[in-house]
Amino acid sequence: MTLSSPSNPAAVAQDLETASSAAADSQVELISPYGGRLVNLLVDAGQRDALKEEAGALPSIQISERAVCDLELLATGAFSPLDRFMGPEDFRRVIAEMRLADGAIFPIPITLPVAAEDLKGVEDHIALRDSNNNLLAVMDVEHIYPWDMQETARLVFGTTDARHPLVAEMHRWGDLNVSGRLRVLALPRHYDFESLRMTPTQVRTRLASYGHENVVAFQTRNPLHRVHEALTKRATESVDGTLLLHPVVGMTKPGDVDHFTRVRTYRALVDNHYESDRVLLSLLPLAMRMAGPREALWHALIRRNFGANHIIVGRDHAGAGVDSTGKPFHGPYDAQELVAKHQDELGVKMIPFKMMVYVEGEDRYEEEVNLSPEQKTHSISGTQVREEYLAKGKLLPEWFSRREVAAVLRDAYPPRHKQGVCIWFTGLSGSGKSTIANVLKVRLEESGRQVTVLDGDVVRTHLSKGLGFSKDDRDTNIRRIGFVASEIVRHGGTVICAAISPYRATRDDVRNHVGEEHFCEVYVDTPLAVCEARDVKGLYAKARRGEIKGFTGIDDPYEQPAAAEVVVTGDGADPDVSAEVLVKWLRSRGYIADEVTT
């Protein structure tokens, strides 16, 4: 059976109606979707034109990239039995108990947060559009309810630390959730890797045609190396099944390898190193939450809807890294424990894997616990891959990575001194941020890097003209600077940002957007009394007289960084000395190339 592109809504709707009968004619029957059937929210072709005309007269909201990903997976049944953004009953039980209101397992809240002003004029129906104003769906508004960010973060992620990428992001979500019946007119259009983008029904049809009842799903957001190849093949052989290689290409952890590069590595492996009738590569437009154990269970539920009855759960599955104190958000095997606890009820068996290493002289990978102390082994951590190989332009060793994969990664990732970096100065007004930033700019240009400076005051004159000094406006200003900085970094540039940026969560949000490994937070720790004594703009004096309200350090707080990469002082210190501290930090991490001597 020829399957249609998921970007074609009419064809997808037809596939959802007919592909199940094609699968029934095959020799095997896959596990049923969770809840018994796949949800289908796509409107029939005969109703589409009328609903589109109706939507044109409705108030509309532009939903976030995350909500667009969620809408696509709701529409095609990947989140079955969920058929809408969660209402209050489902939401409250999910965050507290990991279950929908009817008792079905569902560990992650799927909501549509909005600001109150976005709902002005909304009565019974609302049109949902993407960031380009493309019409995606109509919602029958049934529930509008408040939610508590701190409680949600604590229950779902186990932390309120803004170093967690989703916790930081949640600070800019609306205070209300809206829910109701969805009628989806169109799925988001994807122009990349179209042949690999398949709905749950399409994946099920393909898997059933392979003739194996057992399907092992492998969730990944990273390039695959030989250790991953070994564990996926071993898992598939252990159940005499098919491998569903199901990488996330929606939203992953900030700083991850981009999905274009990753998919090229997956294709190279599938085409050259797997049996063609034992593997299916399909892309998943999922917006990850980096929720650790809860996310692992969610991944298992989603893969059941795609036809998998087994899932590989590795070490620190969907982990978010470390918090502000350097402590991991979750234990390395917490995810395996939670999935094991619920696997019988969910119907998806976990295939756990511990730390695997390369066994020298035997050309194979094995779990470390199965080896004797005398056996010589090798391993390379993700940090070593980035720091010791990709950052230095070195090809990964063949025992670790297939030659085709190593070549793709080498081409995509230049040496560290040619990669982008953001140096983010934060501190009170008058602390000396701009002075040190300007000295640093010259020093970096002297070393051969081209530098862009985004000064808070200058940005307000151009990029953020018209914004005031309320908390929301200040956050908007900082996120605008962060967006520009992230684009400069993404294209290999050096950007120095100097802005008060008083709120820790907003700074961490920018850090996550730029990418942890390409971000250096510099706290200019200058006492308030010194800053006031300078007061070249007269702002502190006005704030003391009450002429300026909400001034940072006077009647609005400045939240010091919890773990800045570099701390300097603007209190009497030579700015050149502070700049030299930063030059040394950047050189130690490879962002400044060693000088060539003749």
Side-chain angles (χ1 to χ4, degrees):
M1 178 180 179
T2 301
L3 297 175
S4 307
S5 165
S7 298
N8 183 330
V12 170
Q14 182 65 31
D15 283 342
L16 290 170
E17 295 294 330
T18 63
S20 57
S21 62
D25 293 336
S26 66
Q27 296 180 353
V28 300
E29 183 175 347
L30 303 178
I31 189 172
S32 63
Y34 189 50
R37 68 177 185 88
L38 285 176
V39 168
N40 174 16
L41 302 181
L42 289 158
V43 299
D44 294 334
Q47 302 173 327
R48 190 169 294 111
D49 289 342
L51 183 59
K52 188 174 182 180
E53 183 176 353
E54 176 189 335
L58 292 175
S60 64
I61 58 173
Q62 289 184 316
I63 61 177
S64 68
E65 180 185 0
R66 182 172 301 282
V68 169
C69 290
D70 289 346
L71 179 64
E72 179 172 359
L73 295 181
L74 282 167
T76 58
F79 290 166
S80 298
L82 191 65
D83 64 355
R84 64 193 63 204
F85 292 104
M86 290 178 181
E89 294 82 8
D90 282 333
F91 171 72
R92 288 170 189 144
R93 192 167 182 193
V94 163
I95 65 171
E97 304 174 50
M98 300 194 303
R99 294 184 182 276
L100 298 174
D102 64 6
I105 291 175
F106 210 99
I108 298 293
I110 307 298
T111 59
L112 184 58
V114 295
E117 55 265 27
D118 293 334
L119 296 177
K120 289 180 180 178
V122 173
E123 295 182 356
D124 299 326
H125 310 286
I126 191 169
L128 306 182
R129 300 178 182 273
D130 65 15
S131 60
N132 293 317
N133 214 35
N134 295 311
L135 178 63
L136 299 177
V138 171
M139 176 188 285
D140 300 341
V141 179
E142 298 171 16
H143 300 284
I144 299 173
Y145 61 98
W147 66 287
D148 185 280
M149 189 205 73
Q150 295 289 326
E151 179 189 42
T152 303
R154 178 176 54 81
L155 292 174
V156 177
F157 306 113
T159 183
T160 58
D161 190 329
R163 277 293 176 93
H164 189 290
L166 252 292
V167 175
E169 182 185 314
M170 288 164 67
H171 280 80
R172 52 185 159 95
W173 292 2
D175 295 331
L176 302 172
N177 287 334
V178 60
S179 174
R181 182 172 74 108
L182 290 167
R183 289 171 287 169
V184 179
L185 286 151
L187 298 179
R189 184 66 194 269
H190 304 289
Y191 296 96
D192 59 317
F193 308 114
E194 290 185 278
S195 65
L196 299 179
R197 292 181 177 271
M198 291 175 270
T199 66
T201 297
Q202 292 171 330
V203 168
R204 283 174 160 274
T205 301
R206 289 282 298 275
L207 289 172
S209 72
Y210 285 14
H212 305 286
E213 291 184 3
N214 289 324
V215 175
V216 178
F218 184 59
Q219 151 85 25
T220 179
R221 48 171 247 270
N222 292 305
L224 298 190
H225 301 294
R226 286 188 61 185
V227 63
H228 307 105
E229 181 187 335
L231 73 87
T232 54
K233 287 179 176 178
R234 187 176 305 180
T236 305
E237 291 167 1
S238 72
V239 298
D240 187 26
T242 304
L243 173 67
L244 173 58
L245 183 56
H246 214 199
V248 172
V249 295
M251 298 176 68
T252 60
K253 185 180 178 182
D256 280 351
V257 174
D258 67 274
H259 81 268
F260 300 102
T261 299
R262 288 190 286 114
V263 174
R264 289 166 59 205
T265 69
Y266 305 145
R267 272 182 158 173
L269 280 174
V270 168
D271 291 345
N272 295 288
H273 300 287
Y274 284 87
E275 297 178 42
S276 60
D277 63 343
R278 289 283 186 171
V279 62
L280 175 62
L281 171 62
S282 178
L283 310 185
L284 182 67
L286 179 72
M288 291 184 65
R289 270 61 174 181
M290 310 312 300
R294 279 189 179 231
E295 180 127 359
L297 187 60
W298 186 44
H299 290 168
L301 183 156
I302 291 168
R303 274 29 182 251
R304 172 169 175 170
N305 289 326
F306 279 89
N309 59 344
H310 296 77
I311 186 170
I312 296 170
V313 180
R315 187 178 184 275
D316 195 27
H317 189 109
V322 297
D323 62 19
S324 296
T325 68
K327 179 182 177 182
F329 284 107
H330 303 105
Y333 299 109
D334 289 354
Q336 290 184 358
E337 293 176 6
L338 186 66
V339 175
K341 180 179 178 180
H342 295 281
Q343 63 180 355
D344 291 338
E345 180 183 357
L346 186 60
V348 179
K349 294 183 179 179
M350 178 183 66
I351 300 178
F353 276 91
K354 305 292 185 181
M355 178 68 177
M356 293 186 73
V357 294
Y358 179 75
V359 184
E360 185 177 313
E362 300 180 29
D363 193 29
R364 68 183 180 91
Y365 276 85
E366 183 56 77
E367 290 188 53
E368 201 169 34
V369 295
N370 296 331
L371 297 173
S372 66
E374 294 77 25
Q375 290 178 284
K376 192 171 182 180
T377 62
H378 298 288
S379 64
I380 300 178
S381 69
T383 299
Q384 287 176 306
V385 168
R386 294 186 296 270
E387 299 292 334
E388 298 181 17
Y389 289 90
L390 298 182
K392 297 179 180 179
K394 293 171 58 178
L395 197 64
L396 290 162
E398 289 192 37
W399 64 262
F400 178 78
S401 190
R402 294 289 187 182
R403 188 173 299 176
E404 303 95 325
V405 173
V408 170
L409 293 176
R410 181 187 59 187
D411 291 344
Y413 285 85
R416 178 61 60 79
H417 68 274
K418 293 185 178 180
Q419 294 179 22
V421 62
C422 172
I423 303 99
W424 188 281
F425 286 88
T426 178
L428 293 169
S429 176
S431 61
K433 300 182 299 298
S434 297
T435 301
I436 301 170
N438 287 324
V439 175
L440 178 63
K441 174 180 183 292
V442 174
R443 295 292 302 278
L444 290 178
E445 289 175 335
E446 179 186 17
S447 71
R449 294 213 66 138
Q450 296 298 311
V451 182
T452 299
V453 174
L454 298 177
D455 184 85
D457 291 337
V458 176
V459 168
R460 276 192 171 272
T461 303
H462 301 285
L463 185 64
S464 294
K465 187 175 182 178
L467 288 180
F469 289 89
S470 67
K471 183 181 187 305
D472 287 345
D473 279 359
R474 278 185 280 188
D475 280 347
T476 298
N477 180 51
I478 295 307
R479 289 194 171 102
R480 286 180 182 177
I481 297 174
F483 171 76
V484 175
S486 70
E487 288 298 295
I488 293 171
V489 169
R490 188 166 67 89
H491 290 284
T494 304
V495 57
I496 298 174
C497 304
I500 295 171
S501 44
Y503 308 120
R504 190 178 300 124
T506 310
R507 294 194 303 267
D508 283 338
D509 196 18
V510 171
R511 172 191 292 273
N512 292 327
H513 197 63
V514 171
E516 180 82 26
E517 294 181 2
H518 300 272
F519 190 87
C520 175
E521 185 176 38
V522 182
Y523 174 38
V524 184
D525 184 9
T526 305
L528 175 61
V530 174
C531 296
E532 281 199 77
R534 291 172 179 169
D535 202 14
V536 293
K537 303 172 188 175
L539 299 178
Y540 282 103
K542 290 181 179 180
R544 291 292 187 189
R545 294 195 299 268
E547 297 172 17
I548 300 177
K549 300 295 184 182
F551 191 80
T552 301
I554 303 300
D555 57 345
D556 196 70
Y558 174 80
E559 299 172 0
Q560 296 183 11
E565 278 73 17
V566 178
V567 178
V568 296
T569 179
D571 181 12
D574 186 341
D576 188 58
V577 173
S578 297
E580 179 59 24
V581 170
L582 287 160
V583 167
K584 289 181 179 178
W585 187 93
L586 291 165
R587 193 181 297 280
S588 71
R589 280 144 181 87
Y591 283 110
I592 300 175
D594 292 332
E595 294 182 6
V596 178
T597 59
T598 58

